[in-house]
Coordinates of all heavy atoms in Angstrom, one line a residue:
M1080 N -30.3 72.0 105.9 CA -30.6 72.6 104.7 C -32.1 72.4 104.4 O -32.6 71.4 104.6 CB -29.8 71.9 103.5 CG -30.1 72.4 102.1 SD -29.3 71.6 100.9 CE -28.0 72.9 100.5
T1081 N -32.7 73.5 104.0 CA -34.1 73.5 103.7 C -34.4 73.0 102.2 O -33.6 73.4 101.3 CB -34.7 74.9 103.9 OG1 -34.5 75.3 105.2 CG2 -36.2 74.9 103.6
T1082 N -35.4 72.3 102.0 CA -35.8 71.8 100.6 C -36.6 72.9 100.0 O -37.5 73.4 100.5 CB -36.6 70.5 100.7 OG1 -35.8 69.6 101.4 CG2 -36.9 70.1 99.3
L1083 N -36.1 73.2 98.8 CA -36.9 74.3 98.0 C -38.1 73.7 97.4 O -38.2 72.5 97.0 CB -35.9 74.8 96.9 CG -34.7 75.5 97.3 CD1 -33.9 75.9 96.1 CD2 -35.1 76.8 98.0
P1084 N -39.1 74.5 97.2 CA -40.4 74.0 96.6 C -40.1 73.7 95.1 O -39.2 74.2 94.5 CB -41.4 75.1 96.8 CG -40.5 76.3 97.0 CD -39.2 75.8 97.6
K1085 N -41.0 72.9 94.5 CA -40.9 72.5 93.2 C -41.3 73.7 92.3 O -40.8 73.8 91.1 CB -41.8 71.3 92.8 CG -41.3 70.0 93.4 CD -42.2 68.9 93.0 CE -41.7 67.6 93.6 NZ -42.4 66.5 93.2
R1086 N -42.1 74.6 92.8 CA -42.6 75.7 92.0 C -42.6 77.0 92.9 O -43.0 76.9 94.1 CB -44.0 75.3 91.5 CG -44.5 76.5 90.6 CD -45.8 76.0 90.1 NE -46.4 77.1 89.3 CZ -47.3 77.0 88.4 NH1 -47.8 75.8 88.2 NH2 -47.8 78.0 87.8
T1087 N -42.3 78.1 92.4 CA -42.4 79.4 93.1 C -42.8 80.5 92.1 O -42.5 80.4 91.0 CB -41.1 79.7 93.9 OG1 -41.3 80.9 94.6 CG2 -39.9 79.9 92.9
S1088 N -43.3 81.5 92.7 CA -43.7 82.6 91.8 C -42.5 83.6 91.6 O -42.4 84.2 90.6 CB -44.9 83.4 92.5 OG -44.5 84.0 93.7
T1089 N -41.7 83.6 92.6 CA -40.5 84.5 92.7 C -39.4 83.9 93.4 O -39.5 83.4 94.5 CB -40.9 85.9 93.3 OG1 -42.1 86.4 92.6 CG2 -39.8 86.9 93.3
L1090 N -38.2 84.1 92.8 CA -37.0 83.6 93.5 C -36.0 84.8 93.7 O -35.7 85.5 92.8 CB -36.3 82.6 92.6 CG -34.9 82.1 93.2 CD1 -35.1 81.3 94.5 CD2 -34.2 81.2 92.1
I1091 N -35.7 85.0 94.9 CA -34.8 86.1 95.3 C -33.5 85.5 95.7 O -33.5 84.7 96.7 CB -35.4 87.0 96.4 CG1 -36.7 87.6 95.9 CG2 -34.4 88.1 96.9 CD1 -37.5 88.3 97.0
I1092 N -32.4 85.9 95.1 CA -31.1 85.3 95.3 C -30.3 86.3 96.2 O -30.1 87.4 95.7 CB -30.4 85.0 94.0 CG1 -31.2 84.0 93.2 CG2 -29.0 84.5 94.3 CD1 -30.7 83.7 91.8
G1093 N -30.0 85.9 97.4 CA -29.2 86.7 98.3 C -30.0 87.3 99.4 O -31.0 87.9 99.1
G1094 N -29.6 87.0 100.6 CA -30.3 87.5 101.8 C -29.6 88.7 102.4 O -29.7 88.9 103.7
G1095 N -29.1 89.5 101.6 CA -28.4 90.8 102.1 C -29.5 91.9 102.2 O -30.7 91.6 102.0
P1096 N -29.1 93.1 102.4 CA -30.1 94.2 102.5 C -31.1 94.3 101.3 O -32.2 94.4 101.4 CB -29.2 95.4 102.6 CG -28.0 94.9 103.3 CD -27.7 93.6 102.6
A1097 N -30.5 94.1 100.1 CA -31.4 94.3 98.9 C -32.3 93.1 98.8 O -33.5 93.3 98.4 CB -30.6 94.4 97.6
G1098 N -31.9 91.9 99.1 CA -32.8 90.7 99.0 C -33.9 90.8 100.0 O -35.0 90.4 99.8
I1099 N -33.5 91.2 101.2 CA -34.5 91.3 102.3 C -35.6 92.3 102.0 O -36.8 92.2 102.1 CB -33.8 91.6 103.7 CG1 -33.0 90.5 104.1 CG2 -34.9 92.0 104.7 CD1 -32.1 90.9 105.2
V1100 N -35.2 93.5 101.4 CA -36.2 94.6 101.1 C -37.0 94.1 99.9 O -38.2 94.3 99.8 CB -35.4 95.9 100.7 CG1 -36.3 96.9 100.1 CG2 -34.8 96.5 102.0
S1101 N -36.4 93.4 98.9 CA -37.1 92.8 97.8 C -38.3 91.9 98.3 O -39.4 92.0 97.8 CB -36.2 92.1 96.8 OG -35.3 93.0 96.3
L1102 N -37.9 91.0 99.1 CA -38.9 90.0 99.6 C -40.0 90.8 100.5 O -41.2 90.5 100.3 CB -38.2 89.0 100.6 CG -39.2 87.9 101.2 CD1 -39.9 87.2 100.0 CD2 -38.4 87.0 102.1
K1103 N -39.6 91.7 101.3 CA -40.6 92.5 102.1 C -41.6 93.2 101.1 O -42.8 93.1 101.3 CB -39.9 93.5 102.9 CG -40.9 94.3 103.8 CD -40.1 95.3 104.6 CE -40.9 96.1 105.7 NZ -42.2 96.6 105.3
Y1104 N -41.1 93.9 100.1 CA -42.0 94.6 99.2 C -42.8 93.7 98.4 O -44.0 94.0 98.1 CB -41.2 95.6 98.4 CG -41.0 96.9 99.1 CD1 -40.0 97.1 100.0 CD2 -41.8 98.0 98.9 CE1 -39.9 98.3 100.7 CE2 -41.8 99.2 99.6 CZ -40.7 99.2 100.5 OH -40.6 100.5 101.2
F1105 N -42.3 92.5 97.9 CA -43.1 91.6 97.2 C -44.2 91.1 98.0 O -45.4 91.0 97.6 CB -42.2 90.4 96.7 CG -43.0 89.4 95.9 CD1 -43.1 89.6 94.5 CD2 -43.6 88.4 96.5 CE1 -43.8 88.8 93.7 CE2 -44.4 87.5 95.7 CZ -44.5 87.7 94.4
L1106 N -43.9 90.7 99.3 CA -45.0 90.2 100.2 C -46.1 91.3 100.4 O -47.3 91.0 100.6 CB -44.4 89.7 101.5 CG -43.5 88.4 101.4 CD1 -42.8 88.2 102.7 CD2 -44.4 87.3 100.9
E1107 N -45.7 92.5 100.5 CA -46.6 93.6 100.8 C -47.4 94.1 99.6 O -48.6 94.4 99.6 CB -46.0 94.8 101.4 CG -45.5 94.5 102.9 CD -44.8 95.7 103.5 OE1 -44.8 96.8 102.9 OE2 -44.3 95.6 104.7
Y1108 N -46.7 94.2 98.4 CA -47.3 94.9 97.3 C -47.3 94.0 96.0 O -47.9 94.5 95.1 CB -46.5 96.1 96.9 CG -46.4 97.1 98.1 CD1 -45.2 97.3 98.7 CD2 -47.6 97.7 98.6 CE1 -45.1 98.1 99.9 CE2 -47.5 98.6 99.6 CZ -46.3 98.8 100.3 OH -46.2 99.6 101.3
G1109 N -46.8 92.8 96.1 CA -46.7 91.9 94.9 C -48.1 91.3 94.7 O -49.1 91.4 95.4
P1110 N -48.2 90.5 93.6 CA -49.4 89.8 93.3 C -49.7 88.7 94.3 O -48.9 88.2 95.0 CB -49.1 89.1 91.9 CG -47.7 89.0 91.8 CD -47.1 90.2 92.7
A1111 N -51.0 88.3 94.3 CA -51.4 87.3 95.2 C -50.8 85.9 94.8 O -50.5 85.8 93.6 CB -52.9 87.1 95.3
F1112 N -50.6 85.1 95.7 CA -50.0 83.7 95.3 C -50.5 82.7 96.2 O -51.1 82.9 97.3 CB -48.5 83.8 95.4 CG -47.9 84.2 96.8 CD1 -47.8 83.3 97.8 CD2 -47.6 85.6 96.9 CE1 -47.3 83.8 99.0 CE2 -47.2 86.0 98.2 CZ -47.0 85.2 99.2
N1113 N -50.5 81.5 95.7 CA -50.9 80.3 96.5 C -49.8 79.9 97.4 O -48.6 80.2 97.1 CB -51.2 79.1 95.6 CG -52.4 79.4 94.6 OD1 -53.3 80.2 95.0 ND2 -52.3 78.9 93.4
D1114 N -50.0 79.1 98.4 CA -49.0 78.7 99.3 C -47.9 77.8 98.6 O -46.7 77.9 99.0 CB -49.5 77.8 100.5 CG -50.3 78.7 101.5 OD1 -50.0 79.8 101.5 OD2 -51.1 78.1 102.2
D1115 N -48.3 77.1 97.6 CA -47.3 76.3 96.8 C -46.5 77.1 95.8 O -45.6 76.6 95.2 CB -48.0 75.1 96.1 CG -49.0 75.5 95.2 OD1 -49.5 76.7 95.2 OD2 -49.4 74.7 94.3
E1116 N -46.8 78.4 95.7 CA -46.1 79.3 94.8 C -45.5 80.5 95.6 O -45.2 81.5 95.0 CB -47.0 79.8 93.7 CG -47.4 78.7 92.8 CD -48.3 79.3 91.6 OE1 -48.7 80.4 91.7 OE2 -48.5 78.5 90.7
A1117 N -45.3 80.4 96.9 CA -44.8 81.5 97.7 C -43.4 81.9 97.2 O -42.7 81.1 96.7 CB -44.8 81.1 99.2
P1118 N -43.0 83.2 97.4 CA -41.7 83.6 97.0 C -40.7 82.9 97.9 O -41.0 82.6 99.0 CB -41.7 85.1 97.2 CG -42.9 85.3 98.1 CD -43.9 84.3 97.9
V1119 N -39.5 82.7 97.3 CA -38.4 82.0 98.0 C -37.2 82.9 98.0 O -36.8 83.4 96.9 CB -38.1 80.7 97.4 CG1 -36.9 80.0 98.0 CG2 -39.3 79.8 97.4
L1120 N -36.5 83.1 99.2 CA -35.3 83.8 99.2 C -34.2 82.7 99.5 O -34.4 82.0 100.4 CB -35.3 84.9 100.3 CG -34.1 85.8 100.5 CD1 -34.5 87.1 100.9 CD2 -33.1 85.1 101.5
V1121 N -33.1 82.7 98.7 CA -32.1 81.8 99.0 C -30.8 82.6 99.3 O -30.5 83.6 98.8 CB -31.8 80.8 97.8 CG1 -32.9 79.9 97.6 CG2 -31.5 81.6 96.5
E1122 N -30.0 82.0 100.3 CA -28.8 82.7 100.8 C -27.7 81.6 100.9 O -28.0 80.6 101.5 CB -29.1 83.4 102.1 CG -27.9 83.9 102.9 CD -27.0 84.8 102.1 OE1 -27.6 85.8 101.5 OE2 -25.8 84.7 102.1
M1123 N -26.5 81.9 100.5 CA -25.5 80.9 100.5 C -24.8 80.8 101.9 O -24.3 79.8 102.3 CB -24.3 81.2 99.5 CG -23.5 82.4 99.9 SD -22.2 82.5 98.6 CE -21.2 83.8 99.3
E1124 N -24.9 81.8 102.8 CA -24.4 81.8 104.1 C -25.4 81.1 105.0 O -26.5 80.8 104.6 CB -24.1 83.2 104.6 CG -23.1 84.0 103.8 CD -21.7 83.5 103.9 OE1 -21.4 82.6 104.7 OE2 -20.8 84.0 103.1
G1125 N -25.0 80.9 106.3 CA -25.9 80.3 107.2 C -27.0 81.1 107.7 O -28.0 80.6 108.4
D1126 N -27.0 82.4 107.6 CA -28.0 83.3 108.1 C -28.1 84.5 107.1 O -27.2 84.8 106.3 CB -27.6 83.8 109.5 CG -28.8 84.2 110.3 OD1 -29.9 84.3 109.7 OD2 -28.6 84.6 111.4
I1127 N -29.2 85.3 107.2 CA -29.3 86.5 106.3 C -28.6 87.6 106.9 O -28.2 87.6 108.1 CB -30.8 86.8 106.1 CG1 -31.5 87.1 107.4 CG2 -31.5 85.7 105.4 CD1 -32.9 87.6 107.3
G1128 N -28.4 88.6 106.1 CA -27.7 89.8 106.6 C -26.7 90.4 105.7 O -26.3 91.6 105.7
G1129 N -26.2 89.5 104.8 CA -25.2 90.0 103.8 C -24.0 90.7 104.3 O -23.4 90.4 105.3
T1130 N -23.8 91.9 103.7 CA -22.6 92.7 104.0 C -22.6 93.1 105.5 O -21.5 93.1 106.1 CB -22.7 94.1 103.2 OG1 -22.6 93.6 101.8 CG2 -21.6 94.9 103.5
F1131 N -23.8 93.4 106.1 CA -23.8 93.8 107.5 C -23.4 92.7 108.4 O -22.9 93.0 109.6 CB -25.2 94.4 107.8 CG -25.5 95.6 107.1 CD1 -26.7 95.6 106.3 CD2 -24.7 96.7 107.2 CE1 -27.0 96.8 105.7 CE2 -25.1 97.9 106.5 CZ -26.2 97.9 105.7
R1132 N -23.5 91.5 108.1 CA -23.2 90.4 108.9 C -21.9 89.7 108.5 O -21.1 89.3 109.4 CB -24.3 89.3 108.9 CG -24.1 88.1 109.8 CD -25.2 87.1 109.7 NE -26.5 87.7 110.2 CZ -26.8 87.7 111.5 NH1 -26.1 87.2 112.4 NH2 -28.0 88.2 111.8
Y1133 N -21.6 89.5 107.3 CA -20.5 88.7 106.9 C -19.3 89.4 106.2 O -18.3 88.8 106.0 CB -21.0 87.6 105.9 CG -22.0 86.7 106.5 CD1 -23.3 86.7 106.3 CD2 -21.5 85.6 107.4 CE1 -24.2 85.9 106.9 CE2 -22.4 84.8 108.1 CZ -23.7 84.9 107.7 OH -24.6 84.1 108.4
R1134 N -19.4 90.6 105.9 CA -18.3 91.3 105.3 C -17.8 92.4 106.2 O -18.6 93.1 106.9 CB -18.8 92.0 103.9 CG -19.4 91.0 103.0 CD -18.5 90.0 102.4 NE -19.3 89.2 101.4 CZ -20.0 88.1 101.7 NH1 -20.1 87.6 103.0 NH2 -20.6 87.4 100.7
G1135 N -16.6 92.6 106.2 CA -16.0 93.6 107.0 C -15.0 94.5 106.1 O -14.4 94.0 105.2
Y1136 N -14.9 95.7 106.4 CA -14.1 96.7 105.7 C -13.2 97.3 106.7 O -13.6 97.9 107.8 CB -14.9 97.7 105.0 CG -15.9 97.1 104.0 CD1 -17.2 96.9 104.3 CD2 -15.4 96.7 102.8 CE1 -18.1 96.3 103.4 CE2 -16.3 96.1 101.9 CZ -17.7 95.9 102.2 OH -18.5 95.4 101.3
E1137 N -11.9 97.2 106.5 CA -10.9 97.7 107.4 C -11.2 99.2 107.7 O -11.4 100.0 106.8 CB -9.5 97.6 106.8 CG -8.4 97.8 107.8 CD -7.0 97.5 107.2 OE1 -6.9 96.7 106.4 OE2 -6.1 98.2 107.8
N1138 N -11.3 99.5 109.0 CA -11.4 100.9 109.5 C -12.8 101.5 109.2 O -12.9 102.7 109.1 CB -10.3 101.8 109.0 CG -9.0 101.4 109.6 OD1 -8.8 100.9 110.7 ND2 -8.0 101.5 108.7
A1139 N -13.8 100.7 108.8 CA -15.1 101.2 108.5 C -16.0 101.2 109.7 O -15.9 100.4 110.6 CB -15.7 100.4 107.4
E1140 N -16.9 102.2 109.7 CA -17.9 102.2 110.7 C -19.2 102.5 110.1 O -19.4 103.3 109.2 CB -17.6 103.3 111.8 CG -16.3 103.1 112.5 CD -16.0 104.3 113.5 OE1 -17.0 105.0 113.9 OE2 -14.9 104.5 113.8
L1141 N -20.3 101.9 110.7 CA -21.7 102.2 110.3 C -22.1 103.4 111.0 O -22.1 103.4 112.2 CB -22.6 101.0 110.6 CG -24.0 101.1 110.1 CD1 -24.1 101.3 108.6 CD2 -24.9 99.9 110.5
V1142 N -22.5 104.4 110.3 CA -22.8 105.7 110.9 C -24.3 106.1 110.9 O -24.6 107.2 111.1 CB -21.9 106.9 110.4 CG1 -20.5 106.7 110.7 CG2 -22.1 107.0 108.9
S1143 N -25.1 105.2 110.5 CA -26.5 105.4 110.4 C -27.2 104.9 111.7 O -26.8 103.9 112.3 CB -27.1 104.6 109.2 OG -28.4 104.9 109.0
S1144 N -28.2 105.7 112.1 CA -28.9 105.3 113.3 C -29.9 104.2 113.1 O -30.3 103.9 112.0 CB -29.6 106.6 113.9 OG -30.7 106.9 113.0
K1145 N -30.2 103.6 114.2 CA -31.3 102.6 114.2 C -32.6 103.0 113.5 O -33.2 102.3 112.7 CB -31.5 102.0 115.5 CG -32.6 100.9 115.6 CD -32.8 100.4 117.0 CE -33.9 99.4 117.1 NZ -34.2 99.0 118.5
Q1146 N -32.9 104.2 113.8 CA -34.2 104.8 113.3 C -34.1 105.0 111.7 O -35.1 104.9 111.1 CB -34.5 106.1 113.9 CG -35.0 106.0 115.4 CD -33.9 105.7 116.3 OE1 -32.7 106.0 116.1 NE2 -34.2 105.1 117.5
L1147 N -32.9 105.2 111.2 CA -32.8 105.4 109.7 C -32.6 104.1 109.0 O -32.8 104.0 107.8 CB -31.6 106.3 109.5 CG -31.8 107.8 109.9 CD1 -30.6 108.6 109.7 CD2 -33.0 108.4 109.2
T1148 N -32.1 103.1 109.7 CA -31.9 101.8 109.0 C -32.9 100.7 109.2 O -32.8 99.7 108.7 CB -30.5 101.3 109.4 OG1 -30.5 101.1 110.8 CG2 -29.4 102.2 109.0
C1149 N -34.0 101.0 110.0 CA -35.0 100.0 110.2 C -36.2 100.3 109.4 O -36.3 101.4 108.8 CB -35.3 99.8 111.7 SG -36.1 101.2 112.4
Y1150 N -37.1 99.4 109.2 CA -38.4 99.7 108.5 C -39.3 100.5 109.4 O -39.4 100.3 110.7 CB -39.1 98.4 108.2 CG -38.3 97.5 107.3 CD1 -37.8 96.3 107.7 CD2 -38.2 97.9 106.0 CE1 -37.1 95.5 106.8 CE2 -37.5 97.1 105.1 CZ -37.0 95.9 105.5 OH -36.3 95.1 104.6
S1151 N -40.0 101.5 108.8 CA -40.9 102.3 109.6 C -42.0 101.5 110.3 O -42.5 101.9 111.3 CB -41.5 103.4 108.7 OG -42.3 102.8 107.7
D1152 N -42.4 100.3 109.7 CA -43.4 99.5 110.3 C -42.9 98.4 111.3 O -43.6 97.6 111.7 CB -44.3 98.9 109.3 CG -43.5 98.0 108.3 OD1 -42.3 98.1 108.3 OD2 -44.1 97.2 107.6
F1153 N -41.5 98.5 111.6 CA -40.9 97.4 112.4 C -39.8 98.1 113.2 O -38.7 98.1 112.9 CB -40.4 96.3 111.6 CG -39.8 95.2 112.4 CD1 -40.6 94.4 113.1 CD2 -38.4 95.0 112.5 CE1 -40.1 93.3 113.8 CE2 -37.9 94.0 113.3 CZ -38.8 93.2 114.0
R1154 N -40.2 98.9 114.2 CA -39.3 99.6 115.0 C -39.1 98.8 116.3 O -38.9 98.8 117.3 CB -39.7 101.0 115.3 CG -39.7 101.8 114.1 CD -39.9 103.3 114.3 NE -39.8 104.0 113.1 CZ -38.8 104.7 112.7 NH1 -37.7 104.8 113.5 NH2 -38.8 105.3 111.6

């Protein structure tokens, strides 16, 4: 378990798709911050990924291509 900092500028709860995108956009476009106030993402599971990693839906298939579901700056 990682120790959380005493202070942070932004707390993002949940490491699913929305949390990951929120953190990415905050780091790219958000206000400047000191190292001791860096944004923090917390996730209750052992790894990030949310629905795509930990939830299953009976008879469901992901029909989006890799090119449509990845970041344009991280292919």
